[in-house]
Structures are given as structure tokens and as C-alpha cells.
Amino acid sequence: MKKNNSNLLLYGLVIGGLIGAGLTIYYSSRFISKNNKQKRERKNKFYEGIDDIFEESAQNNIADDSRIDKETEKGIIDELFSRPN
């Protein structure tokens, strides 16, 4: 009877390990996929924001006193792209 119990314990450990490894792989792949999707969305929103700031048609709607001159525009672009990720 003791040999039967030890085999059952061994089978339980092996099956539990396989199930645990499978769940780990499944949830880690979901996490990585979700994280990459969010990163792409943030990157797209960043570039859309830059386009909105410096697009000529968007600037026509802004009042004259709040427009950005070329020197300030170049400074903002330099500041945005000089920062490390």
C-alpha cells in the first residue's frame, strides 16, 4: 500500500507541474500581448498629439495670442526627441 501512495503522489506532482507550467505560459503570453498592444497605442497617441500641435489646419483654430512661433516649435521638438526612453 505504501508503494501505491508514493506513485499517486508522484503522478500528482507531475500533473500539477504540467498544469502549472501551462497556466504560466498562457497568462504570461496574454500579459506580453496586452502590454505590447498598450505600448503601440501610447506611441500612436504620442505622435497624433505632436501632429495636432504642429499641424497648420489645427493652428488656424487657435487664437493669435496663443500661437507657437517657429523658434518655440523647434525647441519643443528638440526637447521631446532628446529625452531618453
Side-chain angles (χ1 to χ4, degrees):
M1 181 151 175
K2 228 170 193 318
K3 185 176 182 180
N4 190 14
N5 285 340
S6 65
N7 284 342
L8 185 61
L9 179 63
L10 182 62
Y11 293 144
L13 286 174
V14 169
I15 291 173
L18 290 175
I19 291 173
L23 289 174
T24 302
I25 291 170
Y26 173 73
Y27 283 114
S28 64
S29 66
R30 277 186 55 194
F31 173 76
I32 290 169
S33 174
K34 185 178 177 183
N35 195 17
N36 287 341
K37 181 180 176 184
Q38 289 176 346
K39 191 182 291 185
R40 280 191 309 270
E41 288 176 1
R42 284 193 308 263
K43 186 176 179 182
N44 289 338
K45 287 181 183 178
F46 172 75
Y47 286 115
E48 286 175 5
I50 290 177
D51 289 342
D52 289 344
I53 291 171
F54 299 113
E55 190 174 292
E56 291 296 324
S57 64
Q59 286 184 356
N60 291 337
N61 298 335
I62 301 173
D64 288 336
D65 59 340
S66 64
R67 287 184 181 235
I68 299 173
D69 60 345
K70 291 295 180 185
E71 185 177 318
T72 307
E73 182 178 320
K74 288 179 184 177
I76 292 171
I77 292 172
D78 290 341
E79 180 68 26
L80 287 173
F81 290 106
S82 67
R83 293 182 183 176
N85 292 337

